[in-house]
Amino acid sequence: MGNLRTKDLSKIGYHNDQLRSLVIGIASKNFKHHSKEQLLDLLVNIKNNPEAFLHDELTAKIAEKVIGKVDGPAFKTFELRDEAVFCQTYGGKGIESSAKKQMELANLLPVSVQGALMPDAHMGFGLPIGGVLATDNVVIPYAVGMDIGCRMALSIIGESEGFIKRWDYQIKQALKNQTHFGMEGGLDTRQEHEVLDSGVFNEIAFLKPLQAKAVRQLGTSGNGNHFVEFGEIELFADNAMGLPAKKYAALLTHSGSRGLGSAIARHYTQLAMNTCKLPRHAQQLAWLDMNTEAGQEYWLTMTLAGDYAKACHERIHANLLKALGLQALHVVENHHNFAWKDTLADGRQVIIHRKGATPAHRGEMGIIPGSMTTPAYLIMGKGIDNALFSASHGAGRAMSRQKAKDSMSVSTMKKLLSTAGVTLIGGTVEENPLAYKDIEAVIAAQHELVDIQGKFLPQIVRMNKE
């Protein structure tokens, strides 16, 4: 380490004497192998975003001092239960054991009331994807996940069969001009939506700097498995929407709350982990009590992120339909990474976390997508208590992204797509159809949870290109 002096620290905005001596002390002891430049870079980062450094023992002391933390909220320590709470698993044969173990850990939390595991389940962070957990008056930020309010939206369009083939060129142009994917940038035209005027941005200090990015990213999609696609939906007889049973053109989208949601998730997961101490292997399932300011604040920001995700889908659908001179006959949409206040069949009030699971109360509509070459199903929930009123949120991954990349070439993927009659704009082999479980098997495993109303087949798909 180069010799760090107080004047170096003043230059990067460390003006408090106590803070400077603390930094020099910690640096000389713990960062001997850093060059002076590396160390100053790190210190600038801590100063600009202290919350992000609270979880590392070496940087936490400096970060706390930067925030000006007095003895902050003291932490409480909790033990796990001896026995897991009741958890019904659907389609267990198709679920890897690591996902089951992960769910079991969540069912041992002292605040857990009931769990459920959906047939698309696979290992995730915090809860497995496809995991549903009911808790007693606490919310677990990491069980909601990083992409808060990630959701599906389907616009059924009143065009006849064959419309997509006839309008193929115009649809592709609209997808290229009216959608944007990936972490950076945004759409060419500034997007307006009332969610941007939400008072929560001003009420909660750490959201203020995120507002500009939220404005820029409105109406855009992320990377990974986010998509915008046109296809044909066949509605079955006596469907819940009361529409004639036939084939319609349709627009289906999958994306979430962008940078806003992930910043909220990181901030409050850290806060939860600092105040709620669990055995190490369960620490990421730390919770915020709803009777605390932090719990109430997370709930407000989570709700804002969910409203923002909904606004993004509204803008995507409005922009595309307008560009093509189309109108939606009917829209169906649902969140899947979110927490809701709910009441169990026995009258208990709980908070239900759905990490990649579709809400499926009796009569509630939702969409369960497969992959870019397989059907998405339009469903209506049956409100099954053992499933915590939930269904799967998709087919679920059968391969990790890395494995999908290693086991499929671009040319093989192109063949799969052309056989299925699907045009892909963007997209990567990580999202190739074989990376997913068989949607038919996943749907069959949950026939007691949902009624099928219709079947959508993708034809023109837009995804992020890495």
Side-chain angles (χ1 to χ4, degrees), residues 210-374:
L210 301 174
Q211 195 169 11
K213 190 175 193 178
V215 171
R216 196 171 64 244
Q217 290 190 326
L218 183 64
T220 67
S221 313
N223 46 24
N225 61 359
H226 288 183
F227 60 74
V228 175
E229 55 194 27
F230 279 89
E232 233 166 43
I233 188 164
E234 181 185 356
L235 293 183
F236 301 149
D238 305 321
N239 60 74
M241 293 152 301
L243 290 172
K246 57 173 190 166
K247 287 185 177 170
Y248 299 80
L251 165 62
L252 181 64
T253 51
H254 172 222
S255 58
S257 51
R258 312 295 288 110
L260 177 66
S262 72
I264 291 169
R266 281 198 301 272
H267 179 82
Y268 289 98
T269 296
Q270 203 46 66
L271 197 59
M273 285 167 61
N274 290 343
T275 52
C276 165
K277 296 292 178 194
L278 290 162
R280 191 162 179 180
H281 62 299
Q283 185 57 49
Q284 56 187 160
L285 291 168
W287 60 81
L288 297 169
D289 192 310
M290 289 298 284
N291 294 336
T292 62
E293 198 181 338
Q296 288 299 321
E297 208 177 88
Y298 173 73
W299 199 264
L300 269 178
T301 57
M302 174 193 77
T303 306
L304 174 68
D307 293 344
Y308 179 76
K310 183 179 180 3
C312 283
H313 284 266
E314 283 171 7
R315 292 311 311 148
I316 294 168
H317 284 239
N319 290 336
L320 284 167
L321 296 182
K322 187 179 167 196
L324 293 163
L326 297 170
Q327 273 182 321
L329 278 181
H330 195 92
V331 176
V332 176
E333 48 191 344
N334 64 264
H335 273 356
H336 48 240
N337 291 352
F338 213 65
W340 290 262
K341 292 172 180 165
D342 212 330
T343 308
L344 298 182
D346 63 10
R348 275 186 293 180
Q349 302 288 306
V350 291
I351 288 175
I352 294 184
H353 302 71
R354 292 188 180 89
K355 177 75 174 287
T358 301
H361 293 86
R362 179 174 290 286
E364 190 170 22
M365 302 293 291
I367 304 130
I368 302 178
S371 69
M372 53 177 101
T373 60
T374 57

